[in-house]
């Protein structure tokens, strides 16, 4: 059995001060929600920490307790979203250990698409940030965490083994990323998401069966 060689990446950690209490977490949540709303309305170029503070109903001083500048705010919003996706994928892959390839594929794709569909505004806002060249590497943590989780699930499959689990996991992760981009650009309509889920499951299942050795 081939083991996954990728190590777990470090978190982005854009915070000046991480929230520790429920009240602080609620404040940060309001700030991040306001950031999403303003990003979708006006774009990153027009977003300012002052406007976000006003939208969130907090003072600029409170904002600066957590985010020292605009870029840290945007990165924190992005990190919160990808953490949600990564945790959902990791949980689905953990539950898929020692299962057939078709079940691993179905569980993974369902978890991934359900997260981005359940948080459409966050998904669109996060994706919009990746259009900026300086933010291109922000999705690396999500990509690597997904690859690790998928590889570990595949390594325990009950009906196949792989010569190179990492390469297979990378290919699956790329398929998910491409599908997510296509869906987000179209506004994540429910009927299209459902159809894409079915087709993506067929595609990934077929690839895994082809790449694996029964």
């Amino acid at each position: 059995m081939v083991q996954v060689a990728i190590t777990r990446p470090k978190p982005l950690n854009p915070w000046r001060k991480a929230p520790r209490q429920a009240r602080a977490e609620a404040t940060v949540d309001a700030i991040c929600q306001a950031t999403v709303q303003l990003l979708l309305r006006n774009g990153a170029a027009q977003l300012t920490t002052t406007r976000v503070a006003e939208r969130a109903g907090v003072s600029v001083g409170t904002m600066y307790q957590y985010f020292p500048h605009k870029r840290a705010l945007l990165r924190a919003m992005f990190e919160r979203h990808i953490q949600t996706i990564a945790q959902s994928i990791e949980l689905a892959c953990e539950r898929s250990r020692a299962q057939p390839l078709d079940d691993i594929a179905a569980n993974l794709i369902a978890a991934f698409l359900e997260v981005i569909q359940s948080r459409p505004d966050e998904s669109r806002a996060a994706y919009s940030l990746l259009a900026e060249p300086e933010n291109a590497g922000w999705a690396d943590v999500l990509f690597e965490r997904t690859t690790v989780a998928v590889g570990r699930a595949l390594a325990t499959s009950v009906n196949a083994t792989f010569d190179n689990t990492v390469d297979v996991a990378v290919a699956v992760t790329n398929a998910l990323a491409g599908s997510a981009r296509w869906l987000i650009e179209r506004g994540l309509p429910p009927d299209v998401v459902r159809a894409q889920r079915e087709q993506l499951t067929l595609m990934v299942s077929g690839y895994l069966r082809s790449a694996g050795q029964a």
Side-chain angles (χ1 to χ4, degrees), residues 69-89:
H69 43 68
K70 171 181 171 178
R71 184 164 176 79
L73 171 62
L74 293 176
R75 187 161 178 167
M77 185 281 296
F78 185 86
E79 181 188 34
R80 281 163 60 92
H81 184 62
I82 68 168
Q83 288 280 21
T84 301
I85 296 175
Q87 289 169 3
S88 178
I89 290 173

Side-chain angles (χ1 to χ4, degrees), residues 7 14 35 47 52-53 62 74 109 118 123 137 149 151 160 190 192 202 208:
T7 57
T35 303
L47 185 142
V52 171
T62 297
L74 293 176
I109 292 162
S118 67
S123 298
V192 176
L202 288 173
L208 292 177

Side-chain angles (χ1 to χ4, degrees), residues 124-152:
R124 288 192 291 269
Y127 175 73
S128 72
L129 294 176
L130 294 181
E132 302 296 330
E134 64 269 24
N135 301 338
W138 284 9
D140 288 351
V141 170
L142 175 60
F143 187 91
E144 293 180 15
R145 285 180 63 175
T146 300
T147 301
V148 169
V150 172
R152 288 175 176 168

